[in-house]
């Protein structure tokens, strides 16, 4: 799916947003994005609400099949819709640069924790 987004000319702004907003700010913006895309009656993102609002994400060029694939990729509980957590996880998964940056941050945190523990023992 990430390759398909690249082919469509989709530009990944999540790493830039993460740098500018920090972790909490990025999560807040993803939650705002969820609110824009969700079906307000159901409280989740459905295929229909994603299709209706896909231009807000710059995804107007994606086909119904592509949007359906996104829904399936993010739908961990199998209910056919994306709740807020599933949406946030999907956005991270569709951002290879952000995932790579997250891996780097995790490794740094683990090294710092290891150094901190070594200083006490």
């Amino acid at each position: 799916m990430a390759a398909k987004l690249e082919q469509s000319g989709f530009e990944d702004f999540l790493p830039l947003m993460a740098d500018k907003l920090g972790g909490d700010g990025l999560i807040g913006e993803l939650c705002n994005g969820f609110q824009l895309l969700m079906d307000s009656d159901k409280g989740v993102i459905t295929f229909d609400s994603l299709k209706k609002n896909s231009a807000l994400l710059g995804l107007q060029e994606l086909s119904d099949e592509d949007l359906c694939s996104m829904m399936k990729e993010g739908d961990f509980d199998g209910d056919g819709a994306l709740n807020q957590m599933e949406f946030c996880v999907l956005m991270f998964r569709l951002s290879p640069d952000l995932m790579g940056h997250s891996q780097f941050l995790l490794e740094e945190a683990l090294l710092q924790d290891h150094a901190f523990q070594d200083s006490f023992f």
Side-chain angles (χ1 to χ4, degrees):
M1 182 85 237
K4 186 72 164 177
L5 289 175
E6 282 180 24
Q7 292 171 355
S8 72
F10 177 77
E11 190 168 345
D12 183 7
F13 289 109
L14 282 183
L16 178 63
M17 289 174 64
D19 287 342
K20 296 286 183 189
L21 302 173
D24 290 340
L26 176 61
I27 295 299
E29 286 303 310
L30 287 174
C31 291
N32 290 339
F34 175 81
Q35 296 294 320
L36 289 172
L37 296 173
M38 78 172 190
D39 179 311
S40 57
D41 293 332
K42 297 179 180 176
V44 294
I45 297 173
T46 63
F47 173 78
D48 291 334
S49 69
L50 180 60
K51 181 177 172 112
K52 176 181 168 189
N53 299 310
S54 61
L56 296 172
L57 288 177
L59 301 176
Q60 63 272 14
E61 301 294 323
L62 293 179
S63 68
D64 286 359
E65 183 180 329
D66 294 330
L67 295 174
C68 189
S69 292
M70 285 179 70
M71 293 292 297
K72 286 180 183 175
E73 187 171 337
D75 183 17
F76 296 121
D77 61 12
D79 66 354
L82 300 178
N83 62 36
Q84 187 167 297
M85 181 60 71
E86 290 170 327
F87 173 74
C88 290
V89 169
L90 178 63
M91 292 298 98
F92 273 83
R93 290 181 63 205
L94 292 177
S95 177
D97 291 340
L98 191 58
M99 289 298 289
H101 187 65
S102 296
Q103 179 68 30
F104 171 76
L105 293 175
L106 175 62
E107 290 171 0
E108 286 292 309
L110 290 173
L111 287 173
Q112 288 177 0
D113 183 56
H114 182 41
F116 178 75
Q117 288 179 6
D118 284 348
S119 68
F120 282 105
F121 298 107

